[in-house]
Amino acid sequence: MPLESASKPETTRPPLSRRFSVAPMMDWTDRHCRFFLRQLSRHTLLYTEMVTTGALLHGDSARFLRHCEAEYPLALQLGGSVPAELAACAELAEAAGYDEVNLNVGCPSDRVQNNMIGACLMAHPALVADCVKAMRDAVSIPVTVKHRIGIDGRDSYAELRDFVGQVCEAGCESFTVHARIAILSGLSPKENREIPPLRYDVAAQIKRDFPDLEIILNGGIKTLDECRSHLQTFDGVMLGREAYHNPYLLAQVDRQLFGAEAPTLSRFEAMQSMRDYIAAHLAEGGSMHHITRHMLGLAQGFKGARRFRQLLSVDIHKTAEPLALFDQAAQLLQGH
């Protein structure tokens, strides 16, 4: 298991590219998930779960920032709206070795709205611009923004264009656009990922109006064929739930989207690549479930997938020999 990083490593780290990335997802893209996804793709940009400024400044910052060098290229997503607090957190991120800091302007949950975090900030472009400027003044790593195309009551293209315009004037050069509006009154976060229609055309218009900005498309993308198609218009693509539920999709990303010559891991080899990491986690007193819960989708699409998931999500809680059970699950992927 690679040593965990408290500062930037001396070795040459992989270059940061936003051509393909996996979205920040609460309760999912923790450090174990990211380590697993990194086994499948060397070039994919990975994001943390959203971390609030309050958690970093007043909580266990070492736990929230914890990661290992194998996860690079890696971005920290922050939730907050107080420029000075965001700047302080950006400094922590840079000191911890992250390649990028991203500001969440897309989360629609009631809990974060009440703290002026997430999509509600789209109604306050000047404040977002102040936040971006404060972070950019504090660090040398890139500061980026992930946002929706609008919110209820502020969903015109003119308002979106004004938002991007004000934030880019503050120095932000890269925007990840979730191509749906967020309906903050009446829809749950899950419904906000499904009910508002996808409007790739609106995101494309932003790219046309701001050709010098890096515009990354997010929302509803499921296949690498779709990624290649969108890359004709956008500078990058970001996948969320599809990358989590069907992680083996990442095994083809380096070859198909980055033109890399690296060999493609089989599903079985991907399992084997995690064994030492899991053994180290168990030796520290951790539970194997902390890691394998992120690997359940590795068997998606072929016979034995149901048994694979049962072993790693149900039987795992009944065994006294977790690594033996892990090996049993891995055997189901032999030859795949």
Side-chain angles (χ1 to χ4, degrees):
M1 176 178 173
L3 295 174
E4 290 187 350
S5 175
S7 61
K8 290 190 177 183
E10 296 299 324
T11 55
T12 302
R13 64 169 63 198
L16 170 65
S17 170
R18 300 181 190 89
R19 183 171 174 82
F20 182 91
S21 57
V22 174
M25 291 176 281
M26 291 301 294
D27 300 320
W28 287 2
T29 51
D30 63 16
R31 62 190 178 91
H32 301 310
C33 176
R34 298 189 307 260
F35 187 91
F36 166 55
L37 296 179
R38 181 59 71 214
Q39 308 311 301
L40 297 167
S41 169
R42 194 74 200 92
H43 296 282
T44 295
L45 174 59
L46 301 176
Y47 282 80
T48 66
E49 304 167 88
M50 182 187 72
V51 181
T52 65
T53 54
L56 277 185
L57 297 177
H58 308 298
D60 185 354
S61 62
R63 178 172 69 86
F64 287 112
L65 293 171
R66 189 179 181 188
H67 65 282
C68 63
E69 294 177 14
E71 296 170 45
Y72 298 136
L74 179 63
L76 175 72
Q77 188 183 64
L78 291 174
S81 58
V82 178
E85 293 179 354
L86 285 163
C89 290
E91 289 177 332
L92 291 174
E94 183 172 44
Y98 285 88
D99 293 291
E100 172 192 313
V101 175
N102 178 267
L103 179 61
N104 184 320
V105 190
C107 181
S109 81
D110 292 339
R111 182 170 58 86
V112 299
Q113 282 184 62
N114 294 335
N115 293 303
M116 277 291 284
I117 295 172
C120 63
L121 288 174
M122 292 207 69
H124 307 279
L127 175 56
V128 175
D130 288 344
C131 292
V132 165
K133 184 178 187 306
M135 288 189 284
R136 279 181 48 82
D137 288 346
V139 298
S140 60
I141 58 176
V143 174
T144 65
V145 171
K146 185 174 187 289
H147 62 94
R148 296 283 184 130
I149 59 172
I151 55 177
D152 41 337
R154 190 183 171 91
D155 58 4
S156 72
Y157 181 74
E159 288 165 315
L160 173 62
R161 193 180 190 283
D162 177 62
F163 172 85
V164 174
Q166 289 195 50
V167 177
C168 80
E169 285 179 8
C172 183
E173 298 176 347
S174 181
F175 293 76
T176 297
V177 184
H178 185 162
R180 289 185 173 94
I181 68 165
I183 298 174
L184 303 182
S185 302
L187 291 188
S188 69
K190 180 178 186 297
E191 290 169 329
N192 260 301
R193 292 189 297 269
E194 299 167 352
I195 292 176
L198 284 163
R199 293 292 307 277
Y200 296 144
D201 59 313
V202 173
Q205 186 62 51
I206 284 291
K207 180 60 187 176
R208 286 192 293 271
D209 287 350
F210 296 91
D212 294 333
L213 293 181
E214 183 179 57
I215 304 297
I216 313 302
L217 182 67
N218 172 235
I221 307 169
K222 294 185 180 297
T223 68
L224 294 189
D225 284 343
E226 291 175 37
C227 290
R228 280 191 294 270
S229 176
H230 289 307
L231 286 169
Q232 302 300 309
T233 302
F234 300 96
D235 301 296
V237 289
M238 175 184 278
L239 270 66
R241 297 181 123 61
E242 187 65 23
Y244 188 85
H245 291 306
N246 183 22
Y248 195 65
L249 174 147
L250 269 69
Q252 293 294 330
V253 163
D254 290 357
R255 280 181 172 272
Q256 293 195 26
L257 299 186
F258 289 93
E261 296 297 325
T264 300
L265 283 183
S266 68
R267 296 173 199 259
F268 176 74
E269 289 169 336
M271 284 285 286
Q272 294 302 102
S273 73
M274 293 296 295
R275 198 181 192 283
D276 288 347
Y277 181 89
I278 290 171
H281 182 65
L282 292 172
E284 293 175 353
S287 166
M288 190 167 79
H289 179 65
H290 295 158
I291 301 169
T292 55
R293 72 186 184 96
H294 301 301
M295 302 173 64
L296 301 181
L298 191 57
Q300 180 171 308
F302 67 89
K303 187 177 179 180
R306 184 176 179 182
R307 176 61 177 155
F308 178 86
R309 291 192 298 269
Q310 180 183 338
L311 285 169
L312 295 182
S313 63
V314 179
D315 296 3
I316 194 172
H317 300 292
K318 307 171 186 177
T319 182
E321 299 183 7
L323 282 177
L325 184 141
F326 179 84
D327 292 337
Q328 185 181 349
Q331 288 303 312
L332 296 174
L333 301 183
Q334 185 80 52
H336 295 278

